[in-house]
Amino acid sequence: MSYKLEPDRLQEGLRTRRFGKNIVYSRKVGSTNDLAKELADYGAVEGTVTIAETQYTGHGRLGAKWFSPVGGLWFSIILRPRLSVNDSVRLVFVPGVAVAQVLKEFYELEVETKWPNDVLVSGRKICGVLSKMNTTGGKVNYVVIGIGVNGNFQVKLSMPRSLRKTATSLEDELGGKVCLEELFRLILERLEHLYYSFVEDPSYILEKWKSYASFLGQVVEVSGDKEEFEGLALDVDQDGALVLQLEDANSKRVFAGAVTIRVKR
Ligand code: BT5
């Protein structure tokens, strides 16, 4: 088993109907999300995946840099849900649930979800999700979901110092390397299953996501939206907003676009 992605083996044993039937592999790419958006604009079908060994301009929300060393799982998928824009907003919770379930069931890790789109192990980020919707006049043309999972590398050797206390990897948590093609297959299969259930009934995903959300009920620091403040995390509502109780007992809703939260443990 190689610690790197083996592109010829990505579809081996893959039991999906549509997801991953078309895979565009790059050894190096700017961002698999940007490539997927280009392909979607040219009409690529639902389930098309872009995947890379490494990304040189991998990004998160609002252009935040996403470090993508060799040994990680960096991919994006094109979805074309026949849903309203409001319902499609909640799609961002589907990959978090898929990754959390796979890491728990197949790698026996204790996982948490953290608003808006992180999966944590040992309180540190192991996976980030980025969702970009393209619409025309209230109609969803496509959504590109990007998923990054820190896999076969040690954070202290491969990531900048600034992330060493906040990030972790499968190698750090398991003490050894995993088969990346297997991890990809497991996530893709679970993602497809959850996505088609979501399309049938978009209301149920949030409850599943919240079942991993141990930051709820804890005090969190909110930063990035011009102001910084603390509050008790009460809930994530159907619009995907985080509902906080402030010190003066008022409640406040914050939206994911611009802010990050840090749990005060
Ligand atoms: C995210 O953004 O967490 C979304 C990350 C999505 C990455 C995937 S990889 C495939 C696809 N192609 C892309 O270009 N992106 C997607 P956000 O919530 O904004 O978090 C970004 C923050 O996470 C950064 O500002 C860093 O603090 C931290 N970070 C960067 N790289 C990391 C890593 N590999 N592991 C853990 N934390 C990281």
Side-chain angles (χ1 to χ4, degrees):
M1 180 187 84
S2 164
Y3 78 101
K4 293 197 228 174
L5 264 186
E6 293 187 55
D8 298 344
R9 297 190 51 208
L10 286 171
Q11 286 169 320
E12 228 170 63
L14 183 65
R15 285 170 307 183
T16 51
R17 277 192 286 158
R18 288 196 205 151
F19 283 27
K21 295 295 169 194
N22 295 320
I23 297 184
V24 178
Y25 168 84
S26 318
R27 205 161 68 75
K28 258 189 187 173
V29 73
S31 154
T32 58
N33 252 48
D34 296 346
L35 179 58
K37 276 190 267 174
E38 264 179 56
L39 297 176
D41 286 334
Y42 279 107
V45 294
E46 176 160 275
T48 301
V49 167
T50 54
I51 185 165
E53 185 177 282
T54 176
Q55 306 181 107
Y56 48 87
T57 52
H59 51 83
R61 291 171 299 144
L62 288 176
K65 188 169 167 51
W66 182 259
F67 290 90
S68 318
V70 174
L73 185 63
W74 323 121
F75 73 98
S76 302
I77 183 159
I78 297 169
L79 303 173
R80 296 187 182 275
R82 291 201 183 95
L83 292 173
S84 67
V85 172
N86 274 355
D87 283 338
S88 300
V89 167
R90 262 169 284 155
L91 196 48
V92 73
F93 296 113
V94 174
V97 174
V99 171
Q101 288 183 347
V102 165
L103 296 189
K104 187 171 179 199
E105 286 171 32
F106 296 94
Y107 300 87
E108 294 173 11
L109 291 169
E110 286 294 323
V111 282
E112 293 169 54
T113 49
K114 193 187 116 198
W115 185 87
N117 53 16
D118 300 346
V119 179
L120 312 184
V121 174
S122 310
R124 293 164 186 230
K125 186 157 166 173
I126 201 161
C127 165
V129 172
L130 185 65
S131 159
K132 284 278 170 210
M133 198 189 302
N134 179 292
T135 60
T136 322
K139 181 179 164 287
V140 179
N141 299 320
Y142 62 81
V143 181
V144 167
I145 298 272
I147 301 179
V149 185
N150 297 333
N152 292 334
F153 54 81
Q154 293 177 36
V155 166
K156 70 173 187 303
L157 300 180
S158 303
M159 304 277 261
R161 195 173 285 275
S162 58
L163 293 181
R164 290 190 197 154
K165 287 209 172 102
T166 56
T168 189
S169 68
L170 285 170
E171 182 166 336
D172 285 338
E173 296 300 324
L174 299 170
K177 310 231 187 267
V178 298
C179 173
L180 286 182
E181 300 79 38
E182 183 174 61
L183 176 66
F184 172 68
R185 178 173 61 74
L186 292 169
I187 293 176
L188 210 59
E189 286 173 356
R190 190 57 60 100
L191 192 62
E192 182 176 90
H193 172 76
L194 289 167
Y195 171 68
Y196 286 120
S197 309
F198 173 81
V199 173
E200 290 286 307
D201 177 7
S203 66
Y204 88 105
I205 193 70
L206 206 49
E207 287 314 310
K208 276 200 193 305
W209 186 87
K210 281 193 231 173
S211 70
Y212 295 98
S214 28
F215 72 93
L216 289 174
Q218 305 221 38
V219 175
V220 300
E221 278 175 0
V222 181
S223 59
D225 197 13
K226 292 183 202 136
E227 40 171 3
E228 287 193 13
F229 57 93
E230 275 184 22
L232 179 67
L234 292 179
D235 196 13
V236 174
D237 67 20
Q238 287 290 335
D239 298 328
L242 174 64
V243 185
L244 295 157
Q245 186 179 58
L246 305 181
E247 253 175 350
D248 60 8
N250 284 325
S251 63
K252 183 176 169 98
R253 293 167 83 223
V254 287
F255 287 88
V259 303
T260 299
I261 62 166
R262 196 169 72 84
V263 182
K264 294 190 78 180
R265 295 186 196 255

